[in-house]
Amino acid sequence: MFRASDFLGKLSKQSRRGSLLSKLRHGHRSKYGRALQANEASVYSNHVNGEYTNCVRDELGQKNAILNCGQPRLQYSRFATAAAEAYNIEPSTDGDSSHVSEEYANVNWDGLGFGLTPTDYMYIMNCSKGQKFSQGTLTRFGKTEMNPSSGILNYGQGLIEGLKAYRTRNERILLFRPEENAMRMQMGAERMCMSSPTIEQFVNAVKQIVHSNRRWVPPPGKGTMYIRPLLMGNGPDLGVAPASEYTFVTYASPVGNYHKGALNLVVEEKFRRATPGGTGGVKAITNYAIIYKPISEAKAKGFTDVLFLDAVTGKYVEEASTSNIFVVKENVISTPPTNGTILPGITRKSIIEIARVLGYQVEERAILVEELFDAEEVFCTGTAVVVNPVNSITYQDKRTEYKRGVGTVGQKLYEILTGIQSGCIEDEMGWTVELD
């Protein structure tokens, strides 16, 4: 790990925000770029379980050991190594030889998939319609009691969120932009006529659930802790109307990669994920069951996931089942706009910000499905999938393959994003929140 502050100096807070990424951006065409090119022969790329990773050959010697972020055999290092050499940055020694001894849960960390592993505690808050949420409580993870006439069971009045906790190599626990999830839940609650926790209550619930289940946060490089906040209508109601009571539950599970292997998409031409004026722009629970059928049919044909088109014309790309999509051609990165039918992903937002700082032209615009034929690179983003390269997209029986691996735009963005999330790059964007 290296400190951005080692070359930032005494800048104002506003100037410091994003200075690391600005330095990397300028390096593309100057000293940093030359250092990166010089290291090219020493760095090779793997695509493991559907995610970008880099391995550094032994000839990097001491830099390999210093910049290792705790991932077994796989190391975040390409950009860190190049930047350290280009700007003569002294590596940070935080935690290098003073790891805190943590008790870990009895889990096969190497065998983690993206599934539920029950942890110790969940966090629950309640409120009545029109009232504020009460102080929440931690309780052992398990079943909850629910009235059979509750709004979530009868009418689908519910919202979910998803975010992650990351363990650094010196045993710190980091959250990534949890306030963004809180604000998105509030936006969804307004659309669904639900009471919602405040931003402070939401973030506090997330912190408490991670802290109480700390031993379930995977070791560095072995996975992450996925946190699921759930807001549901839960009152004794029968008529079609907003619920009289609401429950906010937060639980967590250690997870591995969402997709395993190459990502091969098929354009869905029959079913639609969302319609204008609907709930496609919020994380309503009703958005998900309706896509099970097209996903099941696609997987039966050997595809990984589906890519949905707009409901009005059927001509424009929208998003995959659980992720936003980006299309790359030369120096331009394009992604569909979040105009009400597409979820405003937090990973999507972060990738756009990083890409612009790095000097890429980012366009949020309608993308014709035919543009997929000419794209050089396609990748998906989301909390679960992170930044996932697309190997191929099939549309009307025509299969188009894309660049993946070393040197691709998606890989560069993945490395910087995950470096910030895992603490391998010091966060000058103010995105991470350290657990006390």
Side-chain angles (χ1 to χ4, degrees):
M1 170 180 162
F2 63 90
R3 290 183 183 275
S5 55
D6 291 336
F7 57 73
L8 291 177
K10 296 181 179 180
L11 301 178
S12 67
K13 183 175 181 181
Q14 183 176 4
S15 298
R16 289 173 63 87
R17 183 172 178 84
S19 294
L20 167 62
L21 298 182
S22 296
K23 184 66 74 174
L24 296 184
R25 174 191 64 189
H26 295 306
H28 273 298
R29 51 186 183 270
S30 58
K31 196 173 181 181
Y32 168 68
R34 292 194 296 274
L36 186 60
Q37 186 176 10
N39 280 326
E40 192 69 40
S42 299
V43 182
Y44 63 100
S45 179
N46 282 339
H47 189 261
V48 178
N49 288 342
E51 290 196 5
Y52 296 110
T53 53
N54 284 307
C55 300
V56 182
R57 300 188 191 278
D58 292 337
E59 54 260 34
L60 287 181
Q62 185 62 27
K63 288 186 178 65
N64 179 63
I66 290 173
L67 297 172
N68 175 20
C69 291
Q71 298 179 0
R73 295 183 291 111
L74 305 176
Q75 297 157 39
Y76 174 89
S77 50
R78 181 170 179 236
F79 281 91
T81 301
E85 289 184 348
Y87 297 103
N88 298 316
I89 300 168
E90 291 296 324
S92 170
T93 58
D94 290 352
D96 286 349
S97 59
S98 59
H99 291 192
V100 178
S101 178
E102 288 260 357
E103 176 194 359
Y104 283 94
N106 184 21
V107 174
N108 176 14
W109 302 113
D110 292 320
L112 278 180
F114 199 91
L116 178 66
T117 299
T119 53
D120 297 324
Y121 295 97
M122 58 185 183
Y123 187 86
I124 301 178
M125 292 194 298
N126 294 288
C127 83
S128 298
K129 181 179 178 181
Q131 303 298 314
K132 295 181 180 179
F133 272 90
S134 61
Q135 180 69 29
T137 58
L138 280 170
T139 184
R140 299 294 295 187
F141 181 84
K143 297 178 181 179
T144 60
E145 212 172 84
M146 186 173 294
N147 194 298
S149 67
S150 63
I152 192 169
L153 293 180
N154 289 260
Y155 306 116
Q157 192 185 25
L159 293 163
I160 59 172
E161 272 299 330
L163 63 160
K164 288 179 177 178
Y166 308 80
R167 188 185 295 273
T168 70
R169 61 174 180 160
N170 61 336
E171 300 294 350
R172 295 183 300 138
I173 305 295
L174 300 179
L175 303 173
F176 186 71
R177 309 187 79 169
E179 73 288 345
E180 293 284 342
N181 296 88
M183 289 188 287
R184 190 169 65 180
M185 175 165 275
Q186 288 188 334
M187 180 179 69
E190 192 279 330
R191 174 65 180 85
M192 302 287 285
C193 296
M194 304 176 72
S195 298
S196 177
T198 66
I199 293 175
E200 293 74 19
Q201 286 176 320
F202 182 102
V203 174
N204 177 62
V206 169
K207 286 182 176 179
Q208 289 209 41
I209 206 64
V210 176
H211 181 76
S212 63
N213 293 299
R214 187 183 182 108
R215 70 192 187 102
W216 296 92
V217 181
K222 299 288 188 176
T224 55
M225 170 174 277
Y226 189 84
I227 305 153
R228 168 51 53 81
L230 168 64
L231 180 63
M232 49 190 172
N234 185 28
D237 306 299
L238 184 60
V240 180
S244 58
E245 298 175 10
Y246 295 95
T247 299
F248 176 76
V249 178
T250 306
Y251 63 94
S253 173
V255 297
N257 295 325
Y258 191 82
H259 292 298
K260 294 185 181 297
L263 191 58
N264 296 296
L265 307 181
V266 60
V267 176
E268 174 55 52
E269 299 183 67
K270 179 181 177 182
F271 297 101
R272 300 289 183 259
R273 175 190 171 273
T275 59
T279 58
V282 300
K283 285 187 75 72
I285 63 169
T286 50
N287 293 344
Y288 295 90
I290 60 173
I291 63 176
Y292 294 166
K293 185 174 178 62
I295 292 175
S296 298
E297 292 179 354
K299 289 185 175 181
K301 297 176 182 178
F303 297 104
T304 314
D305 201 353
V306 298
L307 183 57
F308 289 99
L309 301 177
D310 75 287
V312 177
T313 69
K315 296 179 179 180
Y316 297 98
V317 172
E318 292 220 321
E319 63 180 326
S321 63
T322 58
S323 56
N324 298 116
I325 191 162
F326 288 79
V327 177
V328 182
K329 189 171 183 180
E330 297 177 348
N331 196 53
V332 180
I333 304 173
S334 303
T335 189
T338 54
N339 55 8
T341 58
I342 295 173
L343 186 72
I346 294 160
T347 306
R348 173 189 182 274
K349 179 179 181 179
S350 304
I351 286 297
I352 289 174
E353 293 181 46
I354 293 172
R356 283 177 172 156
V357 169
L358 288 177
Y360 292 102
Q361 179 182 337
V362 181
E363 298 179 346
E364 297 182 71
R365 63 173 180 85
I367 299 174
L368 284 167
V369 66
E370 287 81 9
E371 293 184 54
L372 298 173
F373 296 145
D374 300 322
E376 298 169 0
E377 184 182 342
V378 177
F379 58 86
C380 295
T381 65
T383 299
V385 304
V386 195
V387 180
N388 206 326
V390 174
N391 179 59
S392 73
I393 296 179
T394 299
Y395 175 57
Q396 295 183 346
D397 296 325
K398 180 178 180 180
R399 175 186 167 103
T400 304
E401 295 190 351
Y402 306 99
K403 293 191 297 184
R404 295 182 298 145
V406 65
T408 58
V409 174
Q411 182 191 37
K412 295 172 186 177
L413 297 172
Y414 169 86
E415 289 175 339
I416 294 175
L417 176 68
T418 56
I420 293 171
Q421 290 173 331
S422 62
C424 295
I425 292 179
E426 189 150 325
D427 177 20
E428 297 293 342
M429 302 293 282
W431 286 346
T432 56
V433 176
E434 184 171 354
L435 197 68
D436 297 331

